[in-house]
Amino acid sequence: MSGIKSYKELFIWQKGIKIVVLVYKLTKSFPKEEIYALTSQLKRASVSIPSNIAEGFGRQTDKSFNHFLNISRGSLNEIETQLIIAKELEFISDDNLFNEIMFLIEEESKMISAFCKNLKD
């Protein structure tokens, strides 16, 4: 982590923020009865991504940071699964937004994996 002064400089954090914003946009069109179910779960999991990156960075040890990065990666898997469910239930009408989020999830997961590998080396 040498040379990095703030978690806000990390592309993985920045991309995590973008995922949150897009998930919030996508869930606006979900049925109202889902507000405390799938909508809430998706929002919570998406916010978890950059939040855990920030928290791990703040712990100031590579081992702890790696742990929180793995939690972020787990949240990405959770969102991906929930979006697939929402798509199957026909809650998602904006295919472009859905595809953009799915692409970002895949990209973010790869970036976090590479970052974790660099922390270990």
Side-chain angles (χ1 to χ4, degrees):
M1 290 192 315
S2 64
I4 302 170
K5 294 182 177 129
S6 169
Y7 60 87
K8 294 175 199 166
E9 295 176 34
L10 298 170
F11 291 128
I12 56 174
W13 181 84
Q14 294 167 10
K15 193 172 293 290
I17 293 294
K18 185 169 185 165
I19 291 170
V20 173
V21 171
L22 294 178
V23 164
Y24 269 71
K25 285 181 182 178
L26 186 70
T27 58
K28 278 185 183 179
S29 65
F30 280 24
K32 295 299 175 211
E33 64 268 12
E34 285 299 315
I35 198 158
Y36 298 110
L38 203 49
T39 303
S40 177
Q41 280 290 105
L42 275 162
K43 289 178 176 180
R44 181 198 56 74
S46 69
V47 168
S48 173
I49 297 162
S51 298
N52 276 295
I53 292 167
E55 184 172 356
F57 183 88
R59 298 294 175 111
Q60 298 183 338
T61 69
D62 289 351
K63 183 178 180 183
S64 187
F65 195 14
N66 191 58
H67 171 74
F68 282 93
L69 289 172
N70 283 318
I71 293 170
S72 290
R73 196 172 32 217
S75 294
L76 285 165
N77 293 335
E78 185 179 350
I79 294 166
E80 184 177 42
T81 298
Q82 292 166 358
L83 287 174
I84 292 167
I85 292 167
K87 185 80 169 150
E88 290 290 321
L89 293 171
E90 299 179 356
F91 294 166
I92 297 172
S93 57
D94 189 336
D95 287 335
N96 290 331
L97 187 53
F98 172 80
N99 291 333
E100 182 179 1
I101 296 170
M102 295 301 270
F103 175 78
L104 288 173
I105 287 169
E106 184 178 333
E107 199 174 53
E108 176 82 332
S109 184
K110 289 175 184 175
M111 288 172 65
I112 289 173
S113 292
F115 200 93
C116 287
K117 185 179 182 322
N118 286 338
L119 281 179
K120 290 179 182 176
D121 292 344

